[in-house]
């Protein structure tokens, strides 16, 4: 599975398939914005997409502080 493949690559952090989903969504948000992330992930509400946009905007820690993640 994914965890085994990541371990073989020498990763030291626990990685799950959902990690790749978050990573891809954050990069899409950086390059293409909120609507593209909504389409990619199948979100019907922009509120579900806000955490990816916040991470892409570099305000991840601020979003965590506000409790929106």
């Amino acid at each position: 599975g994914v965890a085994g493949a990541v371990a073989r690559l020498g990763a030291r952090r626990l990685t799950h398939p959902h990690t790749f989903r978050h990573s891809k969504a954050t990069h899409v948000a950086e390059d293409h914005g909120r609507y593209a992330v909504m389409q990619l992930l199948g979100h019907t509400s922009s509120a579900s997409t806000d955490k990816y946009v916040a991470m892409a905007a570099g305000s991840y820690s601020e979003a965590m502080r506000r409790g929106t993640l």
Side-chain angles (χ1 to χ4, degrees), residues 1-13 15 20:
V2 171
V6 170
R8 287 190 298 277
L9 292 172
R12 296 182 182 173
R13 295 181 65 188
T15 304
F20 294 106

Side-chain angles (χ1 to χ4, degrees), residues 44-66:
T44 56
S45 166
S46 64
S48 301
T49 308
D50 286 345
K51 62 181 156 189
Y52 303 103
V53 175
M55 284 186 248
S59 59
Y60 179 75
S61 60
E62 175 63 17
M64 289 288 287
R65 186 187 66 72
R66 287 192 320 257

Side-chain angles (χ1 to χ4, degrees), residues 24-37:
K24 178 64 176 178
T26 300
H27 288 291
V28 168
E30 289 172 344
D31 295 336
H32 305 287
R34 177 185 316 264
Y35 185 71
V37 175

